[in-house]
Amino acid sequence: MCTTIYFISLLIRLATTSIGLLISSLVNIIVLPPNYTPIITRKIQNLSKQMSSVLQQRGVELSQVHACHKQTKLQFQLLSAEIEKIETLCEYQRKEWKFHHFTRTAMRKFHYEYKKLSLMRQLVYHIGNLIYLPAHQLQSAEHQVIWDTFTSFHNVLQNEQYKSSFQHQTLILTLKQRFWAHKHEENTVDQPFSTETTMLYELLAIHHLLEELHRIHCLKDRYNLNNSSVSLSS
């Protein structure tokens, strides 16, 4: 008799728990569908600031002809790990589209954030090439320009608009001239890229990606997707 009472009590508890889970699931699916895009946006903004710190630190090391410090490598590895976490959130958001109706505006905002994440992944690739670049004594004429470029990258990544200054554009023009001069000289003697030429190439590649990030921000502005709440459904 006592065993029967315990068994009935167990069934009642299981039924109560199951009903609670069912109701909460229905609320999530029908009433309050998850929206991961604001979280993704915040994480990408934080990722930009983390990248700026890694780039600035690597710039200091290269300007001082130092190999990459252990702490810098650790911070770089954290960038890749953070991108994977954001990628997981993006996958969750895509799955939500199978169960809920989202407005075109909400989907467009997510689309732009995912494009930014793709550019961030490419940025990490080029930062990684700088991380594993051997220490090299720069020519005196190029030392200041390259250091100023690292500093400018830091400032651009700290800015949520990824907007560069006139001074930044002037630095990039100088880098391009230096790069093509090095490349022409090395092609003449048929030798592979030097460390200095490789560094110039990586800096120009990073600049191009930052320009793309700024372009995406401007597109979001055009559709009024920056600094505004976006409803999920109409």
Side-chain angles (χ1 to χ4, degrees):
M1 181 66 179
C2 185
T3 303
T4 303
I5 293 174
Y6 285 141
F7 181 70
I8 293 173
S9 177
L10 175 63
L11 290 178
I12 292 172
R13 290 184 180 181
L14 286 174
T16 304
T17 303
S18 299
I19 291 171
L21 290 173
L22 178 61
I23 291 174
S24 63
S25 298
L26 289 173
V27 168
N28 285 334
I29 293 175
I30 300 173
V31 182
L32 297 172
N35 180 23
Y36 297 99
T37 303
I39 303 173
I40 293 168
T41 300
R42 288 195 300 271
K43 283 185 170 291
I44 288 176
Q45 290 171 353
N46 291 335
L47 181 64
S48 296
K49 291 178 173 57
Q50 293 169 26
M51 281 187 180
S52 72
S53 298
V54 174
L55 263 177
Q56 188 176 48
Q57 181 58 36
R58 187 59 183 137
V60 170
E61 294 165 355
L62 288 170
S63 67
Q64 296 176 351
V65 200
H66 290 171
C68 187
H69 296 166
K70 183 177 180 181
Q71 182 62 28
T72 307
K73 287 184 179 179
L74 178 60
Q75 291 175 350
F76 169 72
Q77 291 167 358
L78 291 176
L79 295 179
S80 299
E82 186 62 22
I83 283 181
E84 294 305 320
K85 291 177 183 177
I86 301 173
E87 184 70 53
T88 300
L89 289 175
C90 290
E91 187 60 31
Y92 290 161
Q93 186 64 76
R94 288 196 196 92
K95 289 180 179 179
E96 286 301 318
W97 289 345
K98 298 178 181 178
F99 305 107
H100 307 107
H101 171 71
F102 282 79
T103 64
R104 181 174 297 180
T105 300
M107 295 181 73
R108 180 180 284 136
K109 183 167 186 178
F110 171 80
H111 168 73
Y112 284 132
E113 292 303 322
Y114 190 73
K115 288 189 71 173
K116 284 165 63 176
L117 182 63
S118 298
L119 291 170
M120 290 289 180
R121 190 181 289 278
Q122 294 177 61
L123 274 172
V124 167
Y125 170 79
H126 289 289
I127 292 172
N129 291 340
L130 291 173
I131 289 289
Y132 295 103
L133 203 64
H136 176 75
Q137 181 66 55
L138 298 170
Q139 297 179 15
S140 57
E142 294 179 350
H143 181 278
Q144 189 62 45
V145 174
I146 289 176
W147 166 243
D148 288 344
T149 302
F150 273 103
T151 303
S152 188
F153 283 162
H154 170 78
N155 295 334
V156 172
L157 282 164
Q158 288 285 328
N159 178 0
E160 292 182 4
Q161 298 179 7
Y162 304 102
K163 189 174 182 179
S164 58
S165 63
F166 174 78
Q167 290 80 2
H168 174 88
Q169 297 299 329
T170 303
L171 286 169
I172 296 303
L173 180 60
T174 304
L175 284 185
K176 287 179 180 178
Q177 293 170 347
R178 301 283 187 186
F179 171 75
W180 288 112
H182 277 283
K183 190 171 183 296
H184 176 72
E185 181 181 337
E186 290 165 3
N187 285 343
T188 302
V189 296
D190 192 25
Q191 67 181 33
F193 276 8
S194 64
T195 300
E196 201 159 354
T197 306
T198 301
M199 187 187 306
L200 291 169
Y201 172 81
E202 296 300 338
L203 292 175
L204 290 172
I206 290 171
H207 163 73
H208 172 72
L209 293 170
L210 293 179
E211 289 281 283
E212 283 296 301
L213 284 169
H214 176 61
R215 187 180 67 84
I216 290 175
H217 181 86
C218 291
L219 286 172
K220 288 179 66 181
D221 264 347
R222 181 185 301 176
Y223 294 108
N224 195 29
L225 298 176
N226 289 313
N227 301 320
S228 61
S229 59
V230 178
S231 61
L232 300 181
S233 57
S234 53

